[in-house]
Amino acid sequence: MDNREVIGKLKGIRMNILGYRIALLFVGLFYLTYFFLPEWVMEDERMTILTYVMIIITGPVVAIGVSGATKLKGKSKELYNDLLSSMIEYAYYEQDRGFTDIEVGTFGIIKIGNIYYSNNYFQGHYKGVGVRQADVIIQKETYIDEKSSITKYFDGRIFEFTTDKITAQNVKVFSRGYESWLNINDRRVDVDDLFFNDNFDVFSAEPSEAQEILTREMIEHLLILQNQNRSIGFRFGVGKVFVAINGTRQFDVNSIDKIIYDKDFVIAKEGIQLIKDLIDGLGIGDKYIMCEDE
């Protein structure tokens, strides 16, 4: 099944899901109207008979609608995974799943507030590198004199790359447009590139590890990524690279949006391409593994 055929099937599924939702909406409106009817109407014998008839009719409608929508969402997920698998190996996508706040806390790339939400989970494999990513929103709500104030820490995409190319214990690299909100006790490290130092803050308990990570090639790639994504943070640890891009979201489209092949395929492809660009740009992939699109 080619990508255009997959998009066509997704379009049909989403239209059916929309139909189920409209039917359920009408059932809901019926019962909402029923409860607001005057008491004298409710006590009318004909109204009582009509109520029983409507319950008999709407019960199966609700059951079929809920069951049908659930099955179609499962099929939509399967097809969307097929679409993504044509772009990257071992693709798996789950719209309603994300990273937990505990997971993101261990990533050490953004502070966790007391309001947290994550969805659009994706995982795959590219050039020997395992990738997991999700959309994440982190906020901090504080109260002063019973008035609440919300500070947004983060609203974007967080990536976890698993690779054997990284041996450093803990090196953080944040663009000047990225606010981690973390209490960083590590030393700030400068490299032999004034332009890079003007655009990034580097922190490490062991400056030698930062120098090892920030090769001339890595510096050039990080500057390119920073130019493309102004608010971006990296943390290099043993066997892991974590990347947070503030202000950008996942390639997901709403399950009932109208499907437009060129638009939806491009959205998905750009989302996967960003993963590939990060892996290639960070130099953490196996250069000897050639992928289908190369």
Side-chain angles (χ1 to χ4, degrees):
M1 188 185 303
D2 62 26
N3 291 327
R4 188 176 290 274
E5 187 177 353
V6 171
I7 289 289
K9 287 183 177 295
L10 282 170
K11 178 178 180 179
I13 286 173
R14 291 184 184 183
M15 291 303 295
N16 288 334
I17 290 176
L18 181 60
Y20 281 126
R21 291 181 178 180
I22 290 173
L24 292 173
L25 176 63
F26 277 114
V27 171
L29 288 174
F30 164 76
Y31 283 107
L32 183 64
T33 303
Y34 176 81
F35 285 116
F36 281 95
L37 289 174
E39 187 175 344
W40 65 270
V41 174
M42 298 280 286
E43 293 175 351
D44 186 272
E45 184 178 348
R46 287 171 298 180
M47 188 62 192
T48 302
I49 295 173
L50 178 62
T51 299
Y52 284 126
V53 171
M54 290 303 298
I55 290 174
I56 292 171
I57 294 174
T58 58
V61 170
V62 171
I64 292 171
V66 171
S67 174
T70 300
K71 289 179 180 178
L72 287 176
K73 286 183 71 175
K75 183 61 177 177
S76 176
K77 173 185 170 182
E78 181 182 328
L79 286 169
Y80 202 67
N81 281 337
D82 288 344
L83 177 68
L84 299 176
S85 293
S86 70
M87 307 174 193
I88 195 169
E89 291 182 316
Y90 309 116
Y92 174 80
Y93 170 77
E94 195 166 340
Q95 184 181 42
D96 298 326
R97 175 185 171 188
F99 290 135
T100 67
D101 55 346
I102 295 176
E103 281 183 296
V104 174
T106 64
F107 292 170
I109 200 165
I110 187 73
K111 185 175 181 180
I112 297 297
N114 53 17
I115 300 176
Y116 180 88
Y117 178 73
S118 179
N119 68 343
N120 288 330
Y121 176 87
F122 173 81
Q123 67 182 40
H125 210 262
Y126 176 70
K127 288 188 176 181
V129 178
V131 57
R132 299 196 306 144
Q133 69 155 49
D135 286 344
V136 175
I137 298 174
I138 303 173
Q139 297 175 323
K140 175 72 172 181
E141 184 175 19
T142 55
Y143 291 87
I144 300 176
D145 297 330
E146 298 184 353
K147 292 184 178 179
S148 67
S149 174
I150 294 179
T151 301
K152 182 180 288 186
Y153 284 173
F154 186 85
D155 184 355
R157 296 168 71 179
I158 293 181
F159 305 78
E160 177 197 59
F161 297 108
T162 302
T163 173
D164 59 3
K165 301 291 192 297
I166 302 299
T167 58
Q169 291 290 330
N170 186 20
V171 177
K172 296 182 176 72
V173 183
F174 300 142
S175 71
R176 287 293 171 85
Y178 179 86
E179 175 59 77
S180 71
W181 300 90
L182 294 168
N183 297 319
I184 300 176
N185 297 318
D186 294 334
R187 294 171 56 185
R188 190 180 187 282
V189 181
D190 285 332
V191 300
D192 296 329
D193 187 306
L194 295 178
F195 186 71
F196 182 84
N197 292 333
D198 286 341
N199 286 273
F200 284 92
D201 292 313
V202 181
F203 302 93
S204 177
E206 296 292 339
S208 60
E209 288 193 343
Q211 299 291 343
E212 181 183 339
I213 289 289
L214 297 171
T215 62
R216 171 53 51 189
E217 184 179 13
M218 178 67 80
I219 285 173
E220 291 176 357
H221 285 311
L222 290 180
L223 286 169
I224 291 172
L225 291 170
Q226 186 261 348
N227 186 56
Q228 296 169 343
N229 308 277
R230 288 292 177 183
S231 182
I232 187 168
F234 306 85
R235 187 174 81 82
F236 300 87
V238 179
K240 298 282 188 179
V241 180
F242 303 99
V243 181
I245 304 179
N246 207 352
T248 185
R249 304 304 300 275
Q250 170 67 282
F251 42 77
D252 166 63
V253 288
N254 189 282
S255 61
I256 61 171
D257 281 348
K258 181 179 178 182
I259 287 284
I260 302 173
Y261 174 77
D262 292 334
K263 173 189 171 185
D264 282 5
F265 184 71
V266 166
I267 288 173
K269 191 168 185 177
E270 287 179 348
I272 295 297
Q273 189 60 49
L274 176 56
I275 292 172
K276 295 179 178 180
D277 289 345
L278 286 168
I279 292 173
D280 289 336
L282 294 170
I284 56 177
D286 192 330
K287 296 179 181 179
Y288 300 101
I289 296 179
M290 300 301 292
C291 298
E292 291 183 0
D293 61 341
E294 296 183 84

